[in-house]
Amino acid sequence: MSAANTNLVELRDLKVVFDGVQVLHGIDLNVASGEALGLVGESGCGKSVTWLAALGLLPGKAAVTGSVRVDGRELCGARRPAIEEIRGGRIAMIFQDPSSSLNPVLRVGRQIVEALHIHRGLRGAAARAESLRLMDMVGIPDASRRFDLFPHEFSGGQCQRLMIAMALAGQPDLLIADEPTTALDATIQAQILDLLNKLRAETGMAIVFISHDLGAVSQVCERVCVMYAGRIVEEGTVAQLFAEPRHPYTRGLFDAIPRIDGPRQRLIPIPGTVPNPKHLPEGCSFSPRCPRAVDACWTARPPLEPQDDGRRLACPRPVPAVTRSEAKRRITEGLVQ
């Protein structure tokens, strides 16, 4: 991320409470114009909730507090018209299950045209022409013939491409991709990742890539935030986290990845599960599963603090730093794309 880039979105002390249970505990996060940011962690860590809260997409029972600023404009607590002006136009979101996001009884062309009408005011022949251009941009073959087909007449990968086309209809400055490759096979997954990289290069939009697939994150992102139990526990560049993860949870995520080279070895799992938000430990939420936990970890919640190498880390007893030669070996062996 160059020094010339400015923050497009700023989240400050973002908290979410469902029926009296706090599930998001003060997220501080910046997204710069044009950058690609990854959010990783196990299911239930708060990755999707963070951005659903930022865009006002959570149900009415959710209490959202904190600050969400887009180019300095506050969204948290703003009136619905102000939020809808940003949502879809400045910030678009694609979801992991396109089959449930596309309307099954409407032709796909009509759905894209509707997005163009709402966000850019296009109608008639102009809207159809732009829809065909978007379908062609995201790699839908023979777009003019398939414009009037229904979602069930497309494959899963093509439905995801159509969702990306609808998201691009508003020419957003930021695209939030919420696990967009989870339901796809490996070949189609690689195609979607290549498409996201291509679109970012062509349009200059920023991307927030939410995933639990570290390999996918390394192909798309420049910076990564690791979340656990509603908090960010480590943040750094892809090179930093992949060559030298410092938080025990981040280290555990990498240890659980099978190696494709060398002898077959038993995986090293992270014991236990993500804690119930109703019964979080008093101190560090990861302490019951952490092999490096000491007494202080059970009583004091570590803040997310900047480190000498530029990353942010929330751990009083991080994994020891590796030597420069070891970090270079990991990069050479392909742990960092």
Side-chain angles (χ1 to χ4, degrees):
M1 183 172 61
S2 68
N5 282 351
T6 57
N7 289 331
L8 173 64
V9 179
E10 296 180 348
L11 308 184
R12 293 291 181 270
D13 197 28
L14 185 64
K15 299 178 181 178
V16 175
V17 176
F18 287 111
D19 295 329
V21 178
Q22 189 168 348
V23 296
L24 217 59
H25 302 266
I27 300 298
D28 291 327
L29 184 62
N30 297 329
V31 181
S33 299
E35 83 161 324
L37 170 70
L39 244 59
V40 301
E42 294 170 278
S43 296
C45 287
K47 306 184 297 296
S48 299
V49 169
T50 297
W51 290 100
L52 292 173
L55 294 177
L57 293 173
L58 291 177
K61 66 178 180 179
V64 181
T65 59
S67 175
V68 179
R69 290 184 175 270
V70 179
D71 281 342
R73 182 177 179 181
E74 181 62 57
L75 290 189
C76 193
R79 298 178 65 87
R80 185 180 181 90
I83 297 176
E84 291 183 346
E85 185 179 334
I86 297 295
R87 193 166 59 202
R90 299 295 307 280
I91 303 176
M93 191 167 186
I94 57 176
F95 302 94
Q96 60 180 297
D97 186 7
S99 61
S100 63
S101 300
L102 292 169
N103 192 321
V105 299
L106 295 181
R107 302 179 192 275
V108 296
R110 178 180 170 184
Q111 297 186 55
I112 300 175
V113 165
E114 181 181 17
L116 288 167
H117 173 62
I118 292 174
H119 299 300
R120 291 164 59 185
L122 297 181
R123 297 173 180 270
R128 180 184 175 90
E130 179 64 7
S131 298
L132 293 175
R133 187 188 73 82
L134 290 172
M135 291 175 69
D136 183 66
M137 177 187 289
V138 299
I140 299 295
D142 198 7
S144 59
R145 184 182 64 83
R146 310 185 77 184
F147 182 84
D148 290 320
L149 298 183
F150 291 93
H152 73 270
E153 298 178 270
F154 293 82
S155 68
Q158 289 175 334
C159 284
Q160 191 61 279
R161 291 172 183 268
L162 291 169
M163 283 299 303
I164 295 174
M166 292 177 64
L168 295 177
Q171 298 178 323
D173 297 314
L174 170 62
L175 177 66
I176 301 170
D178 187 3
E179 302 194 26
T181 60
T182 297
L184 307 177
D185 61 53
T187 302
I188 304 302
Q189 176 181 4
Q191 294 175 4
I192 296 297
L193 296 179
D194 289 341
L195 174 61
L196 291 175
N197 284 328
K198 176 185 174 183
L199 292 174
R200 178 175 169 237
E202 291 178 352
T203 64
M205 68 181 177
I207 291 178
V208 172
F209 188 79
I210 301 172
S211 180
H212 52 254
D213 187 336
L214 292 167
V217 168
S218 71
Q219 295 179 49
V220 175
C221 302
E222 303 161 338
R223 187 163 59 95
V224 183
C225 292
V226 181
M227 293 192 66
Y228 186 80
R231 293 185 177 89
I232 296 175
V233 297
E234 187 168 9
E235 175 191 332
T237 65
V238 167
Q240 285 175 329
L241 264 65
F242 277 64
E244 189 181 31
R246 298 297 308 281
H247 196 281
Y249 177 63
T250 313
R251 177 74 265 177
L253 293 178
F254 281 96
D255 287 341
I257 299 175
R259 297 182 63 91
I260 61 175
D261 59 337
R264 296 179 61 182
Q265 297 178 338
R266 184 179 295 274
L267 298 181
I268 306 174
I270 302 175
T273 59
V274 178
N276 188 325
K278 293 182 179 180
H279 308 292
L280 290 180
E282 183 177 346
C284 174
S285 298
F286 188 60
S287 55
R289 309 173 67 188
C290 182
R292 299 183 57 80
V294 293
D295 290 344
C297 299
W298 291 87
T299 58
R301 183 170 298 151
L304 185 65
E305 297 180 326
Q307 307 296 303
D308 293 339
D309 60 359
R311 80 177 76 200
R312 293 196 298 164
L313 185 64
C315 183
R317 197 164 179 261
V319 177
V322 300
T323 63
R324 182 171 298 181
S325 59
E326 172 64 11
K328 183 177 180 181
R329 180 191 68 80
R330 294 181 182 181
I331 295 175
T332 303
E333 290 183 357
L335 292 178
V336 180
Q337 297 292 326

PDB file of all heavy atoms in Angstrom, residues 16 20-26 44-46 228-231 273-289 297-299 301:
ATOM      1  N   VAL A  16     -21.029  -5.107  18.032  1.00  0.00           N
ATOM      2  CA  VAL A  16     -22.347  -5.639  17.698  1.00  0.00           C
ATOM      3  C   VAL A  16     -22.841  -6.497  18.857  1.00  0.00           C
ATOM      4  O   VAL A  16     -22.099  -7.334  19.385  1.00  0.00           O
ATOM      5  CB  VAL A  16     -22.312  -6.482  16.400  1.00  0.00           C
ATOM      6  CG1 VAL A  16     -23.674  -7.128  16.149  1.00  0.00           C
ATOM      7  CG2 VAL A  16     -21.916  -5.619  15.207  1.00  0.00           C
ATOM      8  N   GLY A  20     -28.533  -8.963  23.730  1.00  0.00           N
ATOM      9  CA  GLY A  20     -27.752  -8.827  24.944  1.00  0.00           C
ATOM     10  C   GLY A  20     -26.415  -9.540  24.934  1.00  0.00           C
ATOM     11  O   GLY A  20     -25.656  -9.442  25.911  1.00  0.00           O
ATOM     12  N   VAL A  21     -26.084 -10.256  23.863  1.00  0.00           N
ATOM     13  CA  VAL A  21     -24.818 -10.981  23.768  1.00  0.00           C
ATOM     14  C   VAL A  21     -23.910 -10.252  22.782  1.00  0.00           C
ATOM     15  O   VAL A  21     -24.243 -10.097  21.611  1.00  0.00           O
ATOM     16  CB  VAL A  21     -25.034 -12.437  23.300  1.00  0.00           C
ATOM     17  CG1 VAL A  21     -23.689 -13.156  23.170  1.00  0.00           C
ATOM     18  CG2 VAL A  21     -25.945 -13.167  24.264  1.00  0.00           C
ATOM     19  N   GLN A  22     -22.759  -9.811  23.258  1.00  0.00           N
ATOM     20  CA  GLN A  22     -21.833  -9.087  22.399  1.00  0.00           C
ATOM     21  C   GLN A  22     -21.038 -10.076  21.548  1.00  0.00           C
ATOM     22  O   GLN A  22     -20.424 -11.000  22.059  1.00  0.00           O
ATOM     23  CB  GLN A  22     -20.876  -8.233  23.229  1.00  0.00           C
ATOM     24  CG  GLN A  22     -20.029  -7.290  22.384  1.00  0.00           C
ATOM     25  CD  GLN A  22     -19.297  -6.250  23.214  1.00  0.00           C
ATOM     26  OE1 GLN A  22     -19.583  -6.091  24.405  1.00  0.00           O
ATOM     27  NE2 GLN A  22     -18.375  -5.537  22.607  1.00  0.00           N
ATOM     28  N   VAL A  23     -21.065  -9.864  20.227  1.00  0.00           N
ATOM     29  CA  VAL A  23     -20.376 -10.778  19.309  1.00  0.00           C
ATOM     30  C   VAL A  23     -19.229 -10.100  18.575  1.00  0.00           C
ATOM     31  O   VAL A  23     -18.379 -10.772  17.992  1.00  0.00           O
ATOM     32  CB  VAL A  23     -21.373 -11.367  18.287  1.00  0.00           C
ATOM     33  CG1 VAL A  23     -22.418 -12.208  18.966  1.00  0.00           C
ATOM     34  CG2 VAL A  23     -22.018 -10.272  17.447  1.00  0.00           C
ATOM     35  N   LEU A  24     -19.195  -8.780  18.585  1.00  0.00           N
ATOM     36  CA  LEU A  24     -18.102  -8.030  17.982  1.00  0.00           C
ATOM     37  C   LEU A  24     -17.594  -7.054  19.032  1.00  0.00           C
ATOM     38  O   LEU A  24     -18.375  -6.306  19.618  1.00  0.00           O
ATOM     39  CB  LEU A  24     -18.587  -7.278  16.738  1.00  0.00           C
ATOM     40  CG  LEU A  24     -17.625  -7.166  15.547  1.00  0.00           C
ATOM     41  CD1 LEU A  24     -17.235  -8.548  15.061  1.00  0.00           C
ATOM     42  CD2 LEU A  24     -18.256  -6.373  14.418  1.00  0.00           C
ATOM     43  N   HIS A  25     -16.273  -7.072  19.277  1.00  0.00           N
ATOM     44  CA  HIS A  25     -15.716  -6.384  20.441  1.00  0.00           C
ATOM     45  C   HIS A  25     -14.754  -5.272  20.037  1.00  0.00           C
ATOM     46  O   HIS A  25     -13.561  -5.328  20.315  1.00  0.00           O
ATOM     47  CB  HIS A  25     -14.998  -7.390  21.347  1.00  0.00           C
ATOM     48  CG  HIS A  25     -15.863  -8.510  21.823  1.00  0.00           C
ATOM     49  ND1 HIS A  25     -16.539  -8.485  23.025  1.00  0.00           N
ATOM     50  CD2 HIS A  25     -16.185  -9.692  21.241  1.00  0.00           C
ATOM     51  CE1 HIS A  25     -17.226  -9.599  23.179  1.00  0.00           C
ATOM     52  NE2 HIS A  25     -17.037 -10.356  22.110  1.00  0.00           N
ATOM     53  N   GLY A  26     -15.256  -4.260  19.359  1.00  0.00           N
ATOM     54  CA  GLY A  26     -14.422  -3.099  19.084  1.00  0.00           C
ATOM     55  C   GLY A  26     -13.432  -3.300  17.957  1.00  0.00           C
ATOM     56  O   GLY A  26     -12.217  -3.372  18.196  1.00  0.00           O
ATOM     57  N   GLY A  44     -17.531 -18.244  12.648  1.00  0.00           N
ATOM     58  CA  GLY A  44     -18.009 -17.717  13.911  1.00  0.00           C
ATOM     59  C   GLY A  44     -17.102 -16.691  14.550  1.00  0.00           C
ATOM     60  O   GLY A  44     -17.373 -16.233  15.668  1.00  0.00           O
ATOM     61  N   CYS A  45     -16.037 -16.282  13.838  1.00  0.00           N
ATOM     62  CA  CYS A  45     -15.097 -15.316  14.410  1.00  0.00           C
ATOM     63  C   CYS A  45     -15.541 -13.866  14.221  1.00  0.00           C
ATOM     64  O   CYS A  45     -14.944 -12.960  14.789  1.00  0.00           O
ATOM     65  CB  CYS A  45     -13.707 -15.500  13.805  1.00  0.00           C
ATOM     66  SG  CYS A  45     -12.844 -16.974  14.384  1.00  0.00           S
ATOM     67  N   GLY A  46     -16.556 -13.640  13.390  1.00  0.00           N
ATOM     68  CA  GLY A  46     -17.052 -12.284  13.214  1.00  0.00           C
ATOM     69  C   GLY A  46     -16.645 -11.614  11.919  1.00  0.00           C
ATOM     70  O   GLY A  46     -16.840 -10.398  11.762  1.00  0.00           O
ATOM     71  N   TYR A 228     -10.514 -13.512  15.680  1.00  0.00           N
ATOM     72  CA  TYR A 228     -10.871 -14.613  16.579  1.00  0.00           C
ATOM     73  C   TYR A 228     -11.845 -14.097  17.623  1.00  0.00           C
ATOM     74  O   TYR A 228     -11.583 -13.086  18.301  1.00  0.00           O
ATOM     75  CB  TYR A 228      -9.621 -15.191  17.268  1.00  0.00           C
ATOM     76  CG  TYR A 228      -9.934 -16.413  18.092  1.00  0.00           C
ATOM     77  CD1 TYR A 228     -10.079 -17.655  17.479  1.00  0.00           C
ATOM     78  CD2 TYR A 228     -10.132 -16.332  19.468  1.00  0.00           C
ATOM     79  CE1 TYR A 228     -10.396 -18.784  18.213  1.00  0.00           C
ATOM     80  CE2 TYR A 228     -10.457 -17.457  20.213  1.00  0.00           C
ATOM     81  CZ  TYR A 228     -10.582 -18.687  19.577  1.00  0.00           C
ATOM     82  OH  TYR A 228     -10.904 -19.808  20.303  1.00  0.00           O
ATOM     83  N   ALA A 229     -12.988 -14.777  17.742  1.00  0.00           N
ATOM     84  CA  ALA A 229     -14.006 -14.466  18.764  1.00  0.00           C
ATOM     85  C   ALA A 229     -14.370 -12.989  18.774  1.00  0.00           C
ATOM     86  O   ALA A 229     -14.455 -12.364  19.834  1.00  0.00           O
ATOM     87  CB  ALA A 229     -13.518 -14.915  20.140  1.00  0.00           C
ATOM     88  N   GLY A 230     -14.590 -12.422  17.583  1.00  0.00           N
ATOM     89  CA  GLY A 230     -15.075 -11.049  17.500  1.00  0.00           C
ATOM     90  C   GLY A 230     -14.023  -9.981  17.650  1.00  0.00           C
ATOM     91  O   GLY A 230     -14.358  -8.805  17.840  1.00  0.00           O
ATOM     92  N   ARG A 231     -12.744 -10.354  17.551  1.00  0.00           N
ATOM     93  CA  ARG A 231     -11.660  -9.374  17.661  1.00  0.00           C
ATOM     94  C   ARG A 231     -10.605  -9.647  16.590  1.00  0.00           C
ATOM     95  O   ARG A 231     -10.435 -10.779  16.144  1.00  0.00           O
ATOM     96  CB  ARG A 231     -10.985  -9.443  19.032  1.00  0.00           C
ATOM     97  CG  ARG A 231     -11.857  -9.000  20.186  1.00  0.00           C
ATOM     98  CD  ARG A 231     -11.044  -8.993  21.487  1.00  0.00           C
ATOM     99  NE  ARG A 231     -11.848  -8.498  22.597  1.00  0.00           N
ATOM    100  CZ  ARG A 231     -12.616  -9.271  23.369  1.00  0.00           C
ATOM    101  NH1 ARG A 231     -12.680 -10.567  23.137  1.00  0.00           N
ATOM    102  NH2 ARG A 231     -13.320  -8.742  24.350  1.00  0.00           N
ATOM    103  N   THR A 273     -12.738 -25.503  20.286  1.00  0.00           N
ATOM    104  CA  THR A 273     -13.536 -24.767  19.305  1.00  0.00           C
ATOM    105  C   THR A 273     -13.588 -23.286  19.695  1.00  0.00           C
ATOM    106  O   THR A 273     -13.206 -22.902  20.802  1.00  0.00           O
ATOM    107  CB  THR A 273     -14.984 -25.307  19.239  1.00  0.00           C
ATOM    108  OG1 THR A 273     -15.584 -25.186  20.539  1.00  0.00           O
ATOM    109  CG2 THR A 273     -14.995 -26.759  18.783  1.00  0.00           C
ATOM    110  N   VAL A 274     -14.098 -22.475  18.771  1.00  0.00           N
ATOM    111  CA  VAL A 274     -14.296 -21.055  19.063  1.00  0.00           C
ATOM    112  C   VAL A 274     -15.283 -20.942  20.227  1.00  0.00           C
ATOM    113  O   VAL A 274     -16.330 -21.595  20.217  1.00  0.00           O
ATOM    114  CB  VAL A 274     -14.836 -20.317  17.819  1.00  0.00           C
ATOM    115  CG1 VAL A 274     -15.090 -18.842  18.142  1.00  0.00           C
ATOM    116  CG2 VAL A 274     -13.859 -20.448  16.663  1.00  0.00           C
ATOM    117  N   PRO A 275     -14.984 -20.140  21.239  1.00  0.00           N
ATOM    118  CA  PRO A 275     -15.857 -20.087  22.423  1.00  0.00           C
ATOM    119  C   PRO A 275     -17.218 -19.481  22.116  1.00  0.00           C
ATOM    120  O   PRO A 275     -17.378 -18.670  21.199  1.00  0.00           O
ATOM    121  CB  PRO A 275     -15.066 -19.197  23.390  1.00  0.00           C
ATOM    122  CG  PRO A 275     -14.184 -18.370  22.516  1.00  0.00           C
ATOM    123  CD  PRO A 275     -13.820 -19.247  21.366  1.00  0.00           C
ATOM    124  N   ASN A 276     -18.204 -19.888  22.897  1.00  0.00           N
ATOM    125  CA  ASN A 276     -19.538 -19.322  22.813  1.00  0.00           C
ATOM    126  C   ASN A 276     -19.485 -17.844  23.221  1.00  0.00           C
ATOM    127  O   ASN A 276     -18.931 -17.513  24.269  1.00  0.00           O
ATOM    128  CB  ASN A 276     -20.475 -20.087  23.756  1.00  0.00           C
ATOM    129  CG  ASN A 276     -21.922 -19.687  23.600  1.00  0.00           C
ATOM    130  OD1 ASN A 276     -22.243 -18.528  23.337  1.00  0.00           O
ATOM    131  ND2 ASN A 276     -22.822 -20.643  23.772  1.00  0.00           N
ATOM    132  N   PRO A 277     -20.030 -16.934  22.394  1.00  0.00           N
ATOM    133  CA  PRO A 277     -19.985 -15.511  22.758  1.00  0.00           C
ATOM    134  C   PRO A 277     -20.601 -15.200  24.119  1.00  0.00           C
ATOM    135  O   PRO A 277     -20.260 -14.199  24.748  1.00  0.00           O
ATOM    136  CB  PRO A 277     -20.785 -14.839  21.630  1.00  0.00           C
ATOM    137  CG  PRO A 277     -20.708 -15.785  20.487  1.00  0.00           C
ATOM    138  CD  PRO A 277     -20.662 -17.162  21.089  1.00  0.00           C
ATOM    139  N   LYS A 278     -21.515 -16.072  24.595  1.00  0.00           N
ATOM    140  CA  LYS A 278     -22.130 -15.846  25.903  1.00  0.00           C
ATOM    141  C   LYS A 278     -21.170 -16.146  27.046  1.00  0.00           C
ATOM    142  O   LYS A 278     -21.379 -15.669  28.167  1.00  0.00           O
ATOM    143  CB  LYS A 278     -23.373 -16.730  26.060  1.00  0.00           C
ATOM    144  CG  LYS A 278     -24.532 -16.393  25.152  1.00  0.00           C
ATOM    145  CD  LYS A 278     -25.714 -17.306  25.445  1.00  0.00           C
ATOM    146  CE  LYS A 278     -26.908 -16.968  24.562  1.00  0.00           C
ATOM    147  NZ  LYS A 278     -28.059 -17.864  24.846  1.00  0.00           N
ATOM    148  N   HIS A 279     -20.139 -16.942  26.772  1.00  0.00           N
ATOM    149  CA  HIS A 279     -19.254 -17.400  27.847  1.00  0.00           C
ATOM    150  C   HIS A 279     -17.793 -17.240  27.440  1.00  0.00           C
ATOM    151  O   HIS A 279     -17.021 -18.197  27.477  1.00  0.00           O
ATOM    152  CB  HIS A 279     -19.552 -18.865  28.195  1.00  0.00           C
ATOM    153  CG  HIS A 279     -20.990 -19.155  28.473  1.00  0.00           C
ATOM    154  ND1 HIS A 279     -21.647 -18.667  29.590  1.00  0.00           N
ATOM    155  CD2 HIS A 279     -21.917 -19.851  27.768  1.00  0.00           C
ATOM    156  CE1 HIS A 279     -22.911 -19.070  29.567  1.00  0.00           C
ATOM    157  NE2 HIS A 279     -23.100 -19.787  28.474  1.00  0.00           N
ATOM    158  N   LEU A 280     -17.403 -16.051  27.076  1.00  0.00           N
ATOM    159  CA  LEU A 280     -16.015 -15.795  26.706  1.00  0.00           C
ATOM    160  C   LEU A 280     -15.138 -15.787  27.950  1.00  0.00           C
ATOM    161  O   LEU A 280     -15.565 -15.350  29.029  1.00  0.00           O
ATOM    162  CB  LEU A 280     -15.888 -14.451  25.992  1.00  0.00           C
ATOM    163  CG  LEU A 280     -16.487 -14.351  24.588  1.00  0.00           C
ATOM    164  CD1 LEU A 280     -16.273 -12.949  24.033  1.00  0.00           C
ATOM    165  CD2 LEU A 280     -15.883 -15.378  23.647  1.00  0.00           C
ATOM    166  N   PRO A 281     -13.897 -16.248  27.832  1.00  0.00           N
ATOM    167  CA  PRO A 281     -12.970 -16.157  28.964  1.00  0.00           C
ATOM    168  C   PRO A 281     -12.758 -14.703  29.380  1.00  0.00           C
ATOM    169  O   PRO A 281     -12.909 -13.782  28.579  1.00  0.00           O
ATOM    170  CB  PRO A 281     -11.677 -16.761  28.403  1.00  0.00           C
ATOM    171  CG  PRO A 281     -12.108 -17.603  27.244  1.00  0.00           C
ATOM    172  CD  PRO A 281     -13.307 -16.926  26.664  1.00  0.00           C
ATOM    173  N   GLU A 282     -12.404 -14.498  30.622  1.00  0.00           N
ATOM    174  CA  GLU A 282     -12.224 -13.145  31.135  1.00  0.00           C
ATOM    175  C   GLU A 282     -11.058 -12.439  30.456  1.00  0.00           C
ATOM    176  O   GLU A 282     -11.105 -11.233  30.189  1.00  0.00           O
ATOM    177  CB  GLU A 282     -11.991 -13.186  32.649  1.00  0.00           C
ATOM    178  CG  GLU A 282     -11.858 -11.808  33.283  1.00  0.00           C
ATOM    179  CD  GLU A 282     -11.701 -11.884  34.785  1.00  0.00           C
ATOM    180  OE1 GLU A 282     -11.952 -12.966  35.365  1.00  0.00           O
ATOM    181  OE2 GLU A 282     -11.318 -10.862  35.388  1.00  0.00           O
ATOM    182  N   GLY A 283     -10.003 -13.171  30.168  1.00  0.00           N
ATOM    183  CA  GLY A 283      -8.826 -12.583  29.537  1.00  0.00           C
ATOM    184  C   GLY A 283      -8.849 -12.766  28.036  1.00  0.00           C
ATOM    185  O   GLY A 283      -9.827 -12.438  27.363  1.00  0.00           O
ATOM    186  N   CYS A 284      -7.764 -13.312  27.499  1.00  0.00           N
ATOM    187  CA  CYS A 284      -7.673 -13.569  26.063  1.00  0.00           C
ATOM    188  C   CYS A 284      -8.642 -14.681  25.675  1.00  0.00           C
ATOM    189  O   CYS A 284      -8.663 -15.744  26.303  1.00  0.00           O
ATOM    190  CB  CYS A 284      -6.240 -13.964  25.689  1.00  0.00           C
ATOM    191  SG  CYS A 284      -6.041 -14.461  23.959  1.00  0.00           S
ATOM    192  N   SER A 285      -9.435 -14.453  24.644  1.00  0.00           N
ATOM    193  CA  SER A 285     -10.438 -15.444  24.233  1.00  0.00           C
ATOM    194  C   SER A 285      -9.800 -16.727  23.722  1.00  0.00           C
ATOM    195  O   SER A 285     -10.430 -17.785  23.720  1.00  0.00           O
ATOM    196  CB  SER A 285     -11.338 -14.842  23.145  1.00  0.00           C
ATOM    197  OG  SER A 285     -12.043 -13.731  23.630  1.00  0.00           O
ATOM    198  N   PHE A 286      -8.549 -16.658  23.281  1.00  0.00           N
ATOM    199  CA  PHE A 286      -7.879 -17.840  22.741  1.00  0.00           C
ATOM    200  C   PHE A 286      -7.152 -18.635  23.821  1.00  0.00           C
ATOM    201  O   PHE A 286      -6.682 -19.739  23.563  1.00  0.00           O
ATOM    202  CB  PHE A 286      -6.882 -17.417  21.652  1.00  0.00           C
ATOM    203  CG  PHE A 286      -6.273 -18.560  20.892  1.00  0.00           C
ATOM    204  CD1 PHE A 286      -7.054 -19.445  20.167  1.00  0.00           C
ATOM    205  CD2 PHE A 286      -4.899 -18.761  20.909  1.00  0.00           C
ATOM    206  CE1 PHE A 286      -6.496 -20.513  19.469  1.00  0.00           C
ATOM    207  CE2 PHE A 286      -4.319 -19.820  20.209  1.00  0.00           C
ATOM    208  CZ  PHE A 286      -5.120 -20.693  19.482  1.00  0.00           C
ATOM    209  N   SER A 287      -7.073 -18.116  25.040  1.00  0.00           N
ATOM    210  CA  SER A 287      -6.269 -18.753  26.084  1.00  0.00           C
ATOM    211  C   SER A 287      -6.638 -20.212  26.363  1.00  0.00           C
ATOM    212  O   SER A 287      -5.734 -21.032  26.609  1.00  0.00           O
ATOM    213  CB  SER A 287      -6.331 -17.926  27.373  1.00  0.00           C
ATOM    214  OG  SER A 287      -7.663 -17.706  27.785  1.00  0.00           O
ATOM    215  N   PRO A 288      -7.936 -20.635  26.324  1.00  0.00           N
ATOM    216  CA  PRO A 288      -8.221 -22.050  26.585  1.00  0.00           C
ATOM    217  C   PRO A 288      -7.645 -23.000  25.532  1.00  0.00           C
ATOM    218  O   PRO A 288      -7.498 -24.190  25.798  1.00  0.00           O
ATOM    219  CB  PRO A 288      -9.757 -22.100  26.571  1.00  0.00           C
ATOM    220  CG  PRO A 288     -10.198 -20.713  26.859  1.00  0.00           C
ATOM    221  CD  PRO A 288      -9.175 -19.837  26.197  1.00  0.00           C
ATOM    222  N   ARG A 289      -7.318 -22.493  24.355  1.00  0.00           N
ATOM    223  CA  ARG A 289      -6.808 -23.339  23.273  1.00  0.00           C
ATOM    224  C   ARG A 289      -5.340 -23.083  22.993  1.00  0.00           C
ATOM    225  O   ARG A 289      -4.752 -23.718  22.103  1.00  0.00           O
ATOM    226  CB  ARG A 289      -7.605 -23.079  21.990  1.00  0.00           C
ATOM    227  CG  ARG A 289      -9.103 -23.149  22.163  1.00  0.00           C
ATOM    228  CD  ARG A 289      -9.837 -22.721  20.913  1.00  0.00           C
ATOM    229  NE  ARG A 289      -9.650 -23.628  19.809  1.00  0.00           N
ATOM    230  CZ  ARG A 289     -10.072 -23.395  18.562  1.00  0.00           C
ATOM    231  NH1 ARG A 289     -10.686 -22.251  18.281  1.00  0.00           N
ATOM    232  NH2 ARG A 289      -9.871 -24.285  17.613  1.00  0.00           N
ATOM    233  N   CYS A 297      -2.681 -14.419  30.744  1.00  0.00           N
ATOM    234  CA  CYS A 297      -3.570 -14.541  29.587  1.00  0.00           C
ATOM    235  C   CYS A 297      -5.013 -14.814  30.015  1.00  0.00           C
ATOM    236  O   CYS A 297      -5.945 -14.488  29.276  1.00  0.00           O
ATOM    237  CB  CYS A 297      -3.085 -15.651  28.662  1.00  0.00           C
ATOM    238  SG  CYS A 297      -1.428 -15.393  27.978  1.00  0.00           S
ATOM    239  N   TRP A 298      -5.193 -15.401  31.187  1.00  0.00           N
ATOM    240  CA  TRP A 298      -6.532 -15.758  31.645  1.00  0.00           C
ATOM    241  C   TRP A 298      -7.233 -14.606  32.362  1.00  0.00           C
ATOM    242  O   TRP A 298      -8.452 -14.662  32.580  1.00  0.00           O
ATOM    243  CB  TRP A 298      -6.440 -16.953  32.600  1.00  0.00           C
ATOM    244  CG  TRP A 298      -6.037 -18.214  31.914  1.00  0.00           C
ATOM    245  CD1 TRP A 298      -4.760 -18.647  31.681  1.00  0.00           C
ATOM    246  CD2 TRP A 298      -6.893 -19.200  31.357  1.00  0.00           C
ATOM    247  NE1 TRP A 298      -4.768 -19.843  31.016  1.00  0.00           N
ATOM    248  CE2 TRP A 298      -6.065 -20.215  30.805  1.00  0.00           C
ATOM    249  CE3 TRP A 298      -8.279 -19.346  31.271  1.00  0.00           C
ATOM    250  CZ2 TRP A 298      -6.591 -21.340  30.182  1.00  0.00           C
ATOM    251  CZ3 TRP A 298      -8.800 -20.472  30.645  1.00  0.00           C
ATOM    252  CH2 TRP A 298      -7.965 -21.450  30.118  1.00  0.00           C
ATOM    253  N   THR A 299      -6.482 -13.576  32.709  1.00  0.00           N
ATOM    254  CA  THR A 299      -7.066 -12.493  33.503  1.00  0.00           C
ATOM    255  C   THR A 299      -7.107 -11.153  32.783  1.00  0.00           C
ATOM    256  O   THR A 299      -7.971 -10.326  33.074  1.00  0.00           O
ATOM    257  CB  THR A 299      -6.286 -12.323  34.816  1.00  0.00           C
ATOM    258  OG1 THR A 299      -4.904 -12.062  34.509  1.00  0.00           O
ATOM    259  CG2 THR A 299      -6.386 -13.581  35.664  1.00  0.00           C
ATOM    260  N   ARG A 301      -7.135  -8.958  29.092  1.00  0.00           N
ATOM    261  CA  ARG A 301      -7.387  -9.028  27.662  1.00  0.00           C
ATOM    262  C   ARG A 301      -6.326  -8.209  26.926  1.00  0.00           C
ATOM    263  O   ARG A 301      -6.237  -6.987  27.110  1.00  0.00           O
ATOM    264  CB  ARG A 301      -8.783  -8.496  27.355  1.00  0.00           C
ATOM    265  CG  ARG A 301      -9.185  -8.596  25.901  1.00  0.00           C
ATOM    266  CD  ARG A 301     -10.657  -8.284  25.769  1.00  0.00           C
ATOM    267  NE  ARG A 301     -11.459  -9.250  26.510  1.00  0.00           N
ATOM    268  CZ  ARG A 301     -12.640  -8.981  27.053  1.00  0.00           C
ATOM    269  NH1 ARG A 301     -13.146  -7.766  26.959  1.00  0.00           N
ATOM    270  NH2 ARG A 301     -13.312  -9.916  27.687  1.00  0.00           N
TER     271      ARG A 301
END
